[in-house]
Amino acid sequence: MPIAIEVLTSKHLLRIREIVGFQHPEYCYQCAKCTSGCTSAKVISEYKPHLIVALTKLGYIDELIKSGIIWACSECWKCSEFCPQEVSPVEVVLALKNIACMLGVKPPKAIQEMAKNVIETGYIQNPMNITTKDFELISREDLNLPQLKEPYKPDKWKEKLKLLIGGASNE
Amino acid sequence: MNKKFLLYLGCTIPTKQYAYEVSARAVLPKLGVELVEFEGATCCGFPLKGINKNAWIYMSARILALAEQYGLPVLALCNGCDVSLRETIFILNKHPGLKDEISKMLEEEELELKNNTRVVHTIELLHDTIGVKKIKSLVVKPLTTLKIASYPGCHAIRPTEIPRPENAKNPVKIDNIIKALGGETEDYPDKSGCCGATMLPYDAENAIRISAGKIRTLKDYGFDAVVTSCPYCMEMLDAKQEIAKSLLEDEELSIPVLYLTQLVGLAIGLKPGELGLDLNMSPVEDILEKIEV
């Protein structure tokens, strides 16, 4: 399939440049050092950070988002450490995730759930009763840990977070 | 040096990984650190970076602005919180435009962001602020019979562009602490590697394969236990150990996993109950026997 030239200057690509910040995806020369050290690639063979950078540069952003593969990144930053070109593939992947959410694609269920809780309570989850090896249920109170407080100015927190991440929460 | 710190727990520790909080609250005051409760602090935003990077920066910047009101350095127990706050400081210093934008959002909440808060992580607090000499002087139960692996976890090491508690090429601080406690340690393959926690929401089985591989390596190198300073690594290596065992059908995948604060606590004479060791899911009793606690 020929590549339409407009994808190379698409607004998604420009947006990626903006989200990535101080790294330089355009410097990538496909040495694949990132993939050779990638945590996720070791267990998910389709996940190849150098390929994701290449496809992003070619504008195949909708395709990458649709494939869902971007969520396989372990965010361990090894690719960034190994990269000789200041590309930081993990930052490209994060930008792709951000764009996916901007376009209304939902992140994996557990992340939706975390987003919902963060908006409501300030934390990714409520304090749990945890089970010990002897099947005893233990709470924060049982351990004499102080009760968790609500966020500073909870109404402002909710209002802002709803705007910023509400679309990706599972409400 | 003033050893008064704002205790920033993040999300995972105060909602699930209680052993870290219990042991930090028990051990650090014994080492001369005063912990101050951080009222109104929330999630640092790290787990939601994929949804919206600006939301993450706003969340971290809000923590920093709240901390400025106390005028104290922040102690981040969690690797994720530590990297989140320090990367935010780094980014906002580099991008005045973004800093103005975030500052405006915070002004609406009567918060001012000077962006000059000092953030330290548990590893640095123990190794650099308190120092191995002081820790060594307090040891009453030396861990002499034990070979313990240091596992700092990704975000104590990377991204390398910003100040991290451990050096990426040669992380040695946890090792130095283990030695100060009388224990033995050595390097092993992929010591600065990842536990797989961030992959959990996408593919739980493969995420556990990553942590299982880590446990396999530790067994092959003959370690009696492994210590970490990250609640995510703990969750993957300790709480998911039984699942790793059955997933890989490998009964040998069993090793005690402890928080660094728990290990220090044991060596300076605190009781397992005071350190939340009954909350660890891995066979920590194996090492308790060896050091006769």
Side-chain angles (χ1 to χ4, degrees), chain A residues 19 22-23 39-40 43 68 71-72 74-78 81 91 97-98 108 118 122-125 127-128 130-131 133 140 143 146 149 151-153 156-157 160-161 164-165 168, chain B residues 11 14-15 18 21 25 39-43 49-53 58-59 62 66 90 105 108-109 111 154-155 158-159 161 190 194 198-199 201-202 206 210 280-282 285:
Chain A
I19 299 172
F22 58 90
Q23 267 90 12
T39 300
S40 299
V43 289
W71 298 98
S74 306
E75 295 180 27
C76 69
W77 264 260
K78 274 192 178 179
E81 185 193 342
E91 293 291 342
K97 288 179 180 175
N98 276 199
V118 162
Y123 302 96
I124 54 169
Q125 62 207 2
M128 296 176 179
I130 56 168
T131 317
K133 270 181 286 192
R140 278 187 73 79
L143 297 163
K149 302 270 163 51
Y152 167 81
K153 292 200 192 290
K156 296 264 182 203
W157 168 265
K160 288 215 176 64
L161 263 299
L164 289 165
I165 60 168
Chain B
C11 293
T15 56
Y18 302 136
E21 185 178 347
R25 285 183 187 277
E39 305 276 336
T42 38
C43 171
K49 216 172 169 180
I51 297 178
N52 183 337
K53 251 175 110 177
Y58 159 72
M59 289 165 80
R62 199 178 196 260
L66 279 169
F90 179 84
M105 291 172 77
E108 289 167 26
E109 303 170 31
L111 288 172
C154 294
H155 302 120
R158 288 176 292 268
E161 288 90 349
D190 211 27
C194 175
T198 308
M199 199 198 273
Y202 174 77
N206 276 316
I210 295 170
N280 299 40
M281 298 301 279
S282 56
E285 55 284 352

Coordinates of all heavy atoms in Angstrom, one line a residue, chain A residues 19 22-23 39-40 43 68 71-72 74-78 81 91 97-98 108 118 122-125 127-128 130-131 133 140 143 146 149 151-153 156-157 160-161 164-165 168, chain B residues 11 14-15 18 21 25 39-43 49-53 58-59 62 66 90 105 108-109 111 154-155 158-159 161 190 194 198-199 201-202 206 210 280-282 285:
Chain A
I19 N 3.9 15.8 22.7 CA 3.7 15.1 24.0 C 5.1 14.5 24.4 O 5.4 14.4 25.6 CB 2.7 13.9 23.8 CG1 1.3 14.5 23.5 CG2 2.6 13.1 25.1 CD1 0.3 13.5 23.1
F22 N 11.2 16.3 25.5 CA 12.6 16.6 25.2 C 13.3 15.5 24.5 O 14.5 15.6 24.2 CB 13.3 17.0 26.5 CG 13.3 16.0 27.6 CD1 14.3 15.0 27.7 CD2 12.3 16.1 28.5 CE1 14.2 14.1 28.7 CE2 12.3 15.1 29.6 CZ 13.2 14.2 29.6
Q23 N 12.6 14.4 24.2 CA 13.3 13.3 23.4 C 13.1 13.6 21.9 O 12.4 14.5 21.5 CB 12.8 12.0 23.8 CG 13.6 11.3 24.9 CD 13.1 11.6 26.2 OE1 12.0 12.2 26.4 NE2 13.8 11.3 27.3
T39 N 11.8 -5.3 28.1 CA 11.2 -6.2 29.0 C 10.0 -6.9 28.4 O 9.8 -8.1 28.4 CB 10.7 -5.5 30.2 OG1 11.8 -4.8 30.9 CG2 10.0 -6.4 31.2
S40 N 9.1 -6.1 27.7 CA 7.9 -6.7 27.2 C 8.2 -7.6 26.0 O 7.5 -8.7 25.8 CB 7.0 -5.6 26.7 OG 6.6 -4.8 27.8
V43 N 8.5 -11.4 26.5 CA 7.4 -12.3 26.7 C 6.3 -12.1 25.6 O 5.4 -13.0 25.5 CB 6.8 -12.2 28.1 CG1 7.7 -12.8 29.2 CG2 6.5 -10.7 28.4
G68 N -3.8 -2.2 19.7 CA -3.8 -2.3 21.1 C -2.4 -2.7 21.7 O -2.2 -2.6 22.9
W71 N -0.3 -0.9 24.7 CA -0.5 -1.1 26.1 C 0.3 -2.2 26.7 O 0.3 -2.5 27.9 CB -2.0 -1.3 26.4 CG -2.8 -0.1 26.0 CD1 -3.5 0.0 24.8 CD2 -3.0 1.1 26.7 NE1 -4.1 1.3 24.7 CE2 -3.8 2.0 25.9 CE3 -2.6 1.6 27.9 CZ2 -4.2 3.2 26.3 CZ3 -2.9 2.8 28.3 CH2 -3.7 3.7 27.5
A72 N 1.1 -2.9 25.8 CA 2.0 -4.0 26.3 C 3.3 -3.4 26.9 O 4.0 -4.2 27.5 CB 2.3 -4.9 25.2
S74 N 6.0 -2.1 29.3 CA 6.1 -2.2 30.8 C 6.6 -0.9 31.4 O 6.7 -0.9 32.7 CB 7.2 -3.3 31.1 OG 6.8 -4.5 30.5
E75 N 6.8 0.1 30.6 CA 7.3 1.4 31.1 C 8.5 1.2 32.1 O 8.6 1.8 33.1 CB 6.2 2.1 31.8 CG 5.1 2.5 30.8 CD 3.9 3.3 31.4 OE1 4.1 4.0 32.4 OE2 2.8 3.2 30.8
C76 N 9.5 0.4 31.7 CA 10.7 0.2 32.5 C 11.8 1.1 32.1 O 12.8 1.2 32.8 CB 11.1 -1.3 32.4 SG 11.8 -1.7 30.7
W77 N 11.6 1.8 31.0 CA 12.6 2.8 30.5 C 14.0 2.2 30.1 O 14.9 3.0 30.0 CB 12.8 3.9 31.6 CG 12.0 5.1 31.3 CD1 12.4 6.3 30.7 CD2 10.6 5.3 31.6 NE1 11.3 7.1 30.6 CE2 10.2 6.6 31.1 CE3 9.6 4.5 32.2 CZ2 8.9 7.0 31.2 CZ3 8.3 4.9 32.3 CH2 8.0 6.2 31.8
K78 N 14.0 0.9 29.9 CA 15.3 0.4 29.4 C 15.6 0.8 28.0 O 16.7 1.1 27.7 CB 15.2 -1.2 29.4 CG 15.5 -1.8 30.7 CD 15.7 -3.3 30.5 CE 16.1 -4.0 31.8 NZ 16.3 -5.4 31.5
E81 N 17.2 4.0 28.1 CA 18.6 4.0 28.6 C 19.5 3.5 27.5 O 20.6 4.0 27.3 CB 18.6 3.0 29.8 CG 20.0 2.9 30.5 CD 20.2 1.8 31.4 OE1 19.2 1.2 31.9 OE2 21.3 1.4 31.7
E91 N 8.7 6.9 25.4 CA 8.0 8.2 25.4 C 7.1 8.3 24.2 O 6.0 8.9 24.2 CB 9.0 9.4 25.4 CG 9.8 9.5 26.7 CD 9.0 10.0 27.9 OE1 7.8 10.5 27.7 OE2 9.4 9.8 29.0
K97 N -0.4 6.3 23.5 CA -1.4 6.0 24.5 C -2.3 7.2 24.8 O -3.5 7.2 24.8 CB -0.8 5.5 25.8 CG -0.2 4.1 25.8 CD 0.4 3.8 27.2 CE 1.0 2.4 27.2 NZ 1.7 2.2 28.5
N98 N -1.6 8.3 25.0 CA -2.3 9.6 25.2 C -3.2 9.9 24.0 O -4.4 10.3 24.2 CB -1.3 10.8 25.4 CG -0.8 10.9 26.8 OD1 -0.3 11.9 27.2 ND2 -0.9 9.8 27.6
P108 N -6.8 -0.4 29.0 CA -7.2 -1.6 29.7 C -8.1 -1.4 30.9 O -7.9 -0.4 31.6 CB -5.9 -2.2 30.0 CG -4.9 -1.7 29.0 CD -5.4 -0.3 28.7
V118 N -9.2 7.4 41.2 CA -8.4 8.6 41.5 C -9.3 9.8 41.5 O -9.2 10.7 42.4 CB -7.3 8.7 40.4 CG1 -6.7 10.1 40.4 CG2 -6.2 7.7 40.8
G122 N -8.9 10.2 45.1 CA -7.6 10.7 45.2 C -6.6 9.5 45.1 O -5.4 9.7 44.9
Y123 N -7.0 8.3 45.2 CA -6.1 7.1 45.2 C -6.6 6.1 44.1 O -7.8 6.1 43.8 CB -6.1 6.4 46.6 CG -5.7 7.3 47.7 CD1 -6.7 7.9 48.5 CD2 -4.4 7.5 48.0 CE1 -6.3 8.7 49.6 CE2 -4.0 8.3 49.1 CZ -4.9 8.9 49.8 OH -4.5 9.7 50.9
I124 N -5.7 5.3 43.6 CA -6.1 4.4 42.6 C -7.0 3.3 43.0 O -7.7 2.6 42.3 CB -4.8 3.7 41.9 CG1 -3.9 3.0 42.9 CG2 -4.1 4.7 41.0 CD1 -2.9 2.1 42.3
Q125 N -7.1 3.1 44.3 CA -8.0 2.1 44.9 C -8.3 2.4 46.3 O -7.6 3.2 46.9 CB -7.4 0.7 44.8 CG -6.1 0.5 45.6 CD -5.2 -0.6 45.1 OE1 -5.5 -1.2 44.0 NE2 -4.1 -0.8 45.7
P127 N -8.6 1.6 50.4 CA -7.8 0.7 51.3 C -8.5 -0.7 51.4 O -9.7 -0.8 51.6 CB -7.9 1.4 52.7 CG -8.2 2.9 52.3 CD -9.0 2.9 51.1
M128 N -7.7 -1.7 51.2 CA -8.2 -3.0 51.1 C -8.0 -3.8 52.4 O -7.1 -3.4 53.2 CB -7.5 -3.9 50.1 CG -7.6 -3.4 48.7 SD -6.6 -4.4 47.6 CE -7.0 -3.6 46.1
I130 N -6.5 -7.0 53.5 CA -5.6 -7.9 52.8 C -5.6 -9.2 53.6 O -5.8 -9.3 54.8 CB -4.2 -7.4 52.6 CG1 -3.6 -6.9 53.9 CG2 -4.2 -6.2 51.6 CD1 -2.1 -6.7 53.8
T131 N -5.3 -10.3 52.8 CA -5.3 -11.6 53.4 C -3.9 -12.1 53.7 O -3.0 -11.9 52.8 CB -5.9 -12.7 52.4 OG1 -7.1 -12.1 51.9 CG2 -6.3 -14.0 53.2
K133 N -1.0 -15.1 55.0 CA -0.9 -16.5 54.6 C -1.7 -17.5 55.4 O -2.1 -18.6 55.0 CB 0.6 -16.9 54.8 CG 1.5 -16.7 53.6 CD 2.9 -17.1 53.8 CE 3.6 -16.1 54.7 NZ 5.1 -16.3 54.8
R140 N -6.2 -1.5 57.6 CA -5.3 -0.5 58.1 C -5.5 -0.3 59.6 O -4.6 -0.1 60.3 CB -5.6 0.9 57.4 CG -5.0 1.1 56.0 CD -5.2 2.5 55.5 NE -4.4 3.5 56.2 CZ -3.1 3.7 56.0 NH1 -2.5 3.0 55.0 NH2 -2.4 4.6 56.7
L143 N -3.8 -2.6 61.9 CA -2.4 -2.4 62.0 C -2.1 -1.1 62.7 O -0.9 -0.6 62.7 CB -1.7 -2.4 60.6 CG -1.8 -3.7 59.8 CD1 -1.6 -3.5 58.3 CD2 -0.9 -4.7 60.4
P146 N -2.8 5.2 60.6 CA -3.7 6.4 60.5 C -4.7 6.2 59.4 O -4.3 5.8 58.3 CB -2.9 7.6 60.4 CG -1.5 7.1 60.0 CD -1.4 5.7 60.5
K149 N -6.8 10.3 54.6 CA -7.6 11.5 54.5 C -8.0 11.8 53.1 O -7.5 11.2 52.2 CB -6.7 12.7 55.0 CG -6.1 12.5 56.4 CD -7.0 13.1 57.4 CE -6.8 12.7 58.8 NZ -5.4 12.8 59.3
P151 N -8.5 14.1 49.6 CA -7.6 15.0 49.0 C -7.8 16.5 49.5 O -8.8 16.8 49.9 CB -8.0 15.0 47.5 CG -8.8 13.7 47.4 CD -9.4 13.5 48.7
Y152 N -6.7 17.2 49.4 CA -6.8 18.7 49.6 C -7.8 19.2 48.6 O -7.8 18.9 47.5 CB -5.4 19.3 49.4 CG -5.3 20.8 49.3 CD1 -5.3 21.6 50.4 CD2 -5.2 21.4 48.0 CE1 -5.2 22.9 50.3 CE2 -5.2 22.8 47.9 CZ -5.2 23.5 49.0 OH -5.1 24.9 48.9
K153 N -8.7 20.1 49.1 CA -9.7 20.7 48.3 C -10.4 19.6 47.3 O -10.2 19.7 46.1 CB -9.2 21.9 47.5 CG -8.9 23.1 48.3 CD -8.9 24.4 47.5 CE -8.2 25.6 48.3 NZ -9.0 26.1 49.4
K156 N -12.3 20.7 44.0 CA -11.4 21.2 42.9 C -10.7 20.0 42.2 O -10.5 20.0 41.0 CB -10.4 22.2 43.4 CG -11.0 23.4 44.0 CD -10.9 24.5 43.0 CE -11.5 25.8 43.6 NZ -12.0 26.7 42.6
W157 N -10.2 19.1 43.0 CA -9.5 17.9 42.6 C -10.4 17.1 41.6 O -10.1 16.8 40.4 CB -9.1 17.0 43.8 CG -8.7 15.6 43.4 CD1 -9.4 14.5 43.4 CD2 -7.4 15.2 43.1 NE1 -8.7 13.4 43.1 CE2 -7.4 13.8 42.8 CE3 -6.1 15.9 42.9 CZ2 -6.3 13.1 42.5 CZ3 -5.0 15.2 42.5 CH2 -5.1 13.8 42.3
K160 N -11.1 19.0 38.2 CA -10.0 19.0 37.3 C -9.7 17.7 36.7 O -9.5 17.5 35.5 CB -8.7 19.6 38.0 CG -8.8 21.1 38.2 CD -7.5 21.7 38.1 CE -7.6 23.2 38.2 NZ -8.0 23.6 39.6
L161 N -9.7 16.7 37.6 CA -9.4 15.3 37.2 C -10.4 14.8 36.2 O -10.1 14.0 35.3 CB -9.2 14.4 38.4 CG -7.7 14.2 38.8 CD1 -6.9 13.5 37.7 CD2 -7.0 15.4 39.2
L164 N -9.6 16.1 32.9 CA -8.3 15.6 32.3 C -8.3 14.1 32.0 O -7.8 13.6 31.0 CB -7.1 15.8 33.3 CG -6.7 17.3 33.5 CD1 -5.9 17.5 34.7 CD2 -5.9 17.8 32.3
I165 N -8.9 13.3 32.9 CA -8.9 11.8 32.6 C -10.2 11.1 32.7 O -10.3 9.9 32.5 CB -7.9 11.1 33.7 CG1 -8.5 11.4 35.1 CG2 -6.5 11.6 33.6 CD1 -7.8 10.5 36.2
A168 N -11.4 8.5 30.1 CA -10.7 7.2 30.1 C -11.1 6.4 31.3 O -10.7 5.2 31.4 CB -9.2 7.4 30.1
Chain B
C11 N -0.3 5.7 46.5 CA -1.5 5.0 46.5 C -1.4 3.5 47.0 O -2.1 3.0 47.8 CB -2.1 4.9 45.1 SG -2.6 6.3 44.3
P14 N -0.5 2.8 51.0 CA -1.5 3.0 52.0 C -2.9 2.2 51.7 O -3.7 2.3 52.6 CB -1.7 4.5 52.1 CG -1.5 4.9 50.7 CD -0.4 4.0 50.2
T15 N -3.0 1.6 50.5 CA -4.2 0.9 50.3 C -4.1 -0.6 50.2 O -5.0 -1.4 50.3 CB -4.9 1.3 48.9 OG1 -3.9 1.1 47.9 CG2 -5.3 2.8 48.9
Y18 N 0.7 -2.6 52.9 CA 0.8 -2.1 54.3 C 2.1 -2.4 54.9 O 2.6 -1.7 55.8 CB -0.3 -2.6 55.2 CG -1.7 -2.3 54.7 CD1 -2.7 -3.2 54.7 CD2 -2.0 -1.0 54.2 CE1 -4.0 -3.0 54.3 CE2 -3.3 -0.7 53.8 CZ -4.3 -1.7 53.8 OH -5.6 -1.4 53.4
E21 N 4.6 0.5 54.8 CA 4.3 1.6 55.6 C 4.6 1.2 57.1 O 5.2 2.0 57.8 CB 2.8 2.0 55.5 CG 2.4 3.2 56.3 CD 1.0 3.7 56.1 OE1 0.3 3.2 55.2 OE2 0.5 4.5 56.9
R25 N 7.5 3.2 59.2 CA 7.1 3.9 60.4 C 7.8 3.4 61.7 O 8.0 4.1 62.6 CB 5.6 3.9 60.6 CG 4.8 4.7 59.7 CD 3.3 4.6 60.0 NE 2.4 5.3 59.1 CZ 2.2 6.6 59.1 NH1 2.7 7.4 60.0 NH2 1.4 7.1 58.2
E39 N -0.8 15.7 55.0 CA -2.3 15.8 54.9 C -2.7 16.2 53.5 O -2.1 17.1 52.9 CB -2.8 16.8 55.9 CG -2.4 16.6 57.4 CD -3.4 15.7 58.1 OE1 -4.5 15.5 57.6 OE2 -2.9 15.1 59.1
G40 N -3.7 15.5 53.0 CA -4.3 15.9 51.7 C -3.6 15.5 50.5 O -3.9 15.8 49.4
A41 N -2.5 14.7 50.7 CA -1.7 14.2 49.5 C -2.5 13.1 48.8 O -3.2 12.3 49.4 CB -0.4 13.7 50.0
T42 N -2.4 13.1 47.5 CA -3.1 12.1 46.7 C -2.1 11.3 45.8 O -0.9 11.3 46.1 CB -4.1 12.9 45.7 OG1 -3.4 14.0 45.3 CG2 -5.3 13.3 46.4
C43 N -2.7 10.6 44.8 CA -1.9 9.8 43.9 C -0.9 10.7 43.1 O -1.3 11.9 42.8 CB -2.8 9.1 42.9 SG -2.1 8.3 41.5
K49 N -0.3 8.0 33.6 CA 0.6 8.8 32.6 C 0.1 8.4 31.2 O 0.1 9.3 30.3 CB 2.0 8.3 32.8 CG 3.0 9.4 32.6 CD 4.4 8.8 33.0 CE 5.5 9.7 32.6 NZ 6.8 9.3 33.0
G50 N -0.3 7.2 30.9 CA -0.7 6.8 29.6 C -2.0 7.4 29.2 O -2.2 7.6 28.0
I51 N -2.8 7.8 30.1 CA -4.1 8.5 29.7 C -3.8 9.9 29.3 O -4.3 10.3 28.3 CB -5.1 8.4 30.9 CG1 -5.4 7.0 31.3 CG2 -6.3 9.2 30.5 CD1 -6.4 6.9 32.4
N52 N -3.0 10.6 30.1 CA -2.8 12.0 29.8 C -1.6 12.5 30.6 O -1.7 12.6 31.8 CB -4.1 12.8 30.2 CG -4.0 14.3 29.9 OD1 -2.9 14.8 29.7 ND2 -5.1 14.9 29.7
K53 N -0.5 12.8 29.8 CA 0.7 13.2 30.5 C 0.5 14.5 31.3 O 1.1 14.7 32.3 CB 1.8 13.4 29.5 CG 2.9 12.3 29.6 CD 3.9 12.4 28.4 CE 5.2 12.8 29.0 NZ 6.3 12.9 27.9
Y58 N 0.2 17.5 36.4 CA -0.7 18.3 37.3 C -0.7 17.6 38.7 O -0.6 18.3 39.7 CB -2.1 18.5 36.7 CG -3.1 18.9 37.8 CD1 -3.2 20.1 38.4 CD2 -4.1 17.9 38.2 CE1 -4.1 20.4 39.3 CE2 -5.0 18.2 39.1 CZ -5.0 19.5 39.7 OH -6.0 19.7 40.7
M59 N -1.0 16.3 38.7 CA -1.1 15.6 39.9 C 0.2 15.6 40.7 O 0.2 15.8 41.9 CB -1.5 14.1 39.6 CG -3.0 14.0 39.1 SD -3.4 12.4 38.4 CE -3.6 11.5 39.8
R62 N 0.9 19.1 42.0 CA 0.0 19.5 43.2 C 0.6 18.9 44.5 O 0.6 19.6 45.5 CB -1.3 18.8 42.9 CG -2.5 19.4 43.7 CD -3.8 18.6 43.3 NE -5.0 19.3 43.7 CZ -5.7 19.0 44.7 NH1 -5.3 18.0 45.5 NH2 -6.8 19.6 45.0
L66 N 1.8 21.3 47.5 CA 1.3 21.0 48.9 C 2.5 20.8 49.9 O 2.5 21.3 51.0 CB 0.5 19.7 48.9 CG -1.0 19.9 48.5 CD1 -1.6 18.5 48.3 CD2 -1.8 20.7 49.5
F90 N 11.9 18.2 37.0 CA 12.8 18.3 35.9 C 12.1 18.9 34.6 O 12.6 19.9 34.0 CB 13.4 16.9 35.5 CG 14.3 16.8 34.4 CD1 15.6 17.1 34.6 CD2 13.9 16.4 33.1 CE1 16.5 17.0 33.5 CE2 14.7 16.3 32.1 CZ 16.1 16.6 32.2
M105 N -3.3 26.4 37.1 CA -4.3 25.5 37.6 C -4.2 25.4 39.1 O -5.2 25.2 39.8 CB -4.0 24.1 37.0 CG -4.3 24.0 35.5 SD -3.7 22.4 34.8 CE -5.0 21.3 35.4
E108 N -5.7 28.4 41.2 CA -7.2 28.3 41.5 C -7.5 27.5 42.8 O -8.6 27.6 43.3 CB -7.9 27.6 40.3 CG -7.9 28.3 39.0 CD -8.3 27.4 37.9 OE1 -9.0 26.4 38.1 OE2 -7.9 27.8 36.7
E109 N -6.5 26.8 43.2 CA -6.7 26.0 44.4 C -5.8 26.6 45.6 O -5.5 25.9 46.6 CB -6.3 24.5 44.2 CG -7.0 23.9 43.0 CD -6.5 22.6 42.6 OE1 -5.9 21.8 43.4 OE2 -6.6 22.3 41.4
L111 N -2.8 27.3 45.7 CA -1.4 26.6 45.8 C -0.4 27.4 44.9 O -0.7 27.8 43.8 CB -1.5 25.2 45.4 CG -2.2 24.2 46.3 CD1 -2.4 22.9 45.7 CD2 -1.5 24.1 47.7
C154 N 13.0 -0.9 38.4 CA 13.3 0.1 37.3 C 13.3 1.5 37.7 O 14.2 2.2 37.4 CB 12.1 0.0 36.3 SG 12.0 -1.6 35.5
H155 N 12.3 1.9 38.4 CA 12.1 3.4 38.6 C 13.0 4.0 39.7 O 13.0 5.2 39.8 CB 10.6 3.7 38.7 CG 9.8 3.2 37.5 ND1 8.8 2.3 37.6 CD2 10.0 3.4 36.2 CE1 8.4 2.0 36.4 NE2 9.1 2.7 35.5
R158 N 15.9 4.3 36.5 CA 15.6 5.0 35.2 C 14.4 6.0 35.4 O 13.6 5.7 36.3 CB 15.4 4.0 34.1 CG 16.6 3.3 33.6 CD 16.2 2.2 32.6 NE 15.4 1.1 33.2 CZ 16.0 0.0 33.7 NH1 17.2 -0.2 33.7 NH2 15.2 -0.9 34.3
P159 N 14.2 6.9 34.5 CA 15.0 7.4 33.4 C 16.4 8.0 33.9 O 16.4 8.6 34.9 CB 14.2 8.5 32.7 CG 12.9 8.5 33.3 CD 13.0 7.8 34.6
E161 N 18.1 10.3 32.6 CA 18.3 11.7 32.4 C 18.0 12.5 33.7 O 18.5 13.6 33.8 CB 17.3 12.3 31.3 CG 17.6 11.8 29.9 CD 16.9 10.5 29.6 OE1 16.4 9.8 30.5 OE2 16.9 10.1 28.4
D190 N 20.4 -9.1 35.0 CA 19.2 -8.3 35.0 C 18.8 -7.8 36.4 O 17.6 -7.6 36.7 CB 18.0 -9.1 34.4 CG 17.1 -8.1 33.7 OD1 17.5 -7.1 33.2 OD2 15.9 -8.5 33.6
C194 N 13.2 -5.3 35.1 CA 11.8 -4.9 35.4 C 11.0 -6.1 36.0 O 11.3 -7.2 35.7 CB 11.2 -4.4 34.1 SG 9.4 -4.1 34.2
T198 N 3.8 -3.1 35.4 CA 3.0 -2.2 34.5 C 2.3 -2.9 33.4 O 1.3 -2.4 32.8 CB 3.9 -1.1 33.9 OG1 4.6 -0.5 35.0 CG2 3.1 0.0 33.2
M199 N 2.7 -4.1 33.1 CA 2.1 -4.9 32.0 C 0.8 -5.6 32.6 O 0.0 -6.1 31.8 CB 3.1 -5.9 31.5 CG 2.7 -6.5 30.1 SD 3.5 -8.0 29.8 CE 5.0 -7.4 29.0
P201 N -2.2 -4.9 33.7 CA -3.5 -4.6 33.2 C -3.7 -5.0 31.8 O -4.8 -5.3 31.3 CB -3.6 -3.0 33.2 CG -2.6 -2.6 34.2 CD -1.5 -3.6 34.1
Y202 N -2.6 -5.1 31.0 CA -2.7 -5.5 29.6 C -2.7 -7.0 29.4 O -3.5 -7.6 28.7 CB -1.6 -4.9 28.8 CG -1.5 -5.3 27.3 CD1 -2.4 -4.8 26.4 CD2 -0.6 -6.2 26.9 CE1 -2.4 -5.2 25.1 CE2 -0.5 -6.7 25.6 CZ -1.5 -6.1 24.6 OH -1.4 -6.5 23.3
N206 N 1.6 -12.9 31.0 CA 2.9 -12.6 30.5 C 3.7 -11.7 31.5 O 4.9 -11.8 31.7 CB 2.9 -11.9 29.1 CG 2.9 -13.0 28.1 OD1 3.6 -14.0 28.2 ND2 2.1 -12.8 27.1
I210 N 7.3 -12.5 33.6 CA 8.5 -11.7 33.8 C 9.0 -11.8 35.2 O 10.2 -12.0 35.5 CB 8.2 -10.2 33.4 CG1 7.9 -10.0 31.9 CG2 9.4 -9.3 33.8 CD1 7.3 -8.7 31.6
N280 N 3.8 -10.4 54.5 CA 4.5 -10.9 53.3 C 3.9 -12.3 52.9 O 3.7 -13.1 53.8 CB 6.0 -11.0 53.5 CG 6.6 -9.7 53.9 OD1 6.1 -8.9 54.6 ND2 7.8 -9.4 53.3
M281 N 3.7 -12.5 51.6 CA 3.1 -13.8 51.2 C 4.2 -14.8 50.9 O 3.9 -16.0 50.9 CB 2.2 -13.6 50.0 CG 1.0 -12.7 50.2 SD -0.1 -13.3 51.5 CE -1.1 -14.5 50.6
S282 N 5.4 -14.4 50.7 CA 6.5 -15.3 50.4 C 7.0 -15.9 51.7 O 6.7 -15.4 52.8 CB 7.6 -14.5 49.6 OG 8.0 -13.5 50.4
E285 N 9.5 -16.8 56.7 CA 9.9 -17.5 57.9 C 11.2 -18.3 57.7 O 11.9 -18.5 58.7 CB 8.7 -18.5 58.4 CG 8.2 -19.5 57.4 CD 7.3 -18.9 56.3 OE1 6.9 -17.7 56.4 OE2 7.0 -19.6 55.3

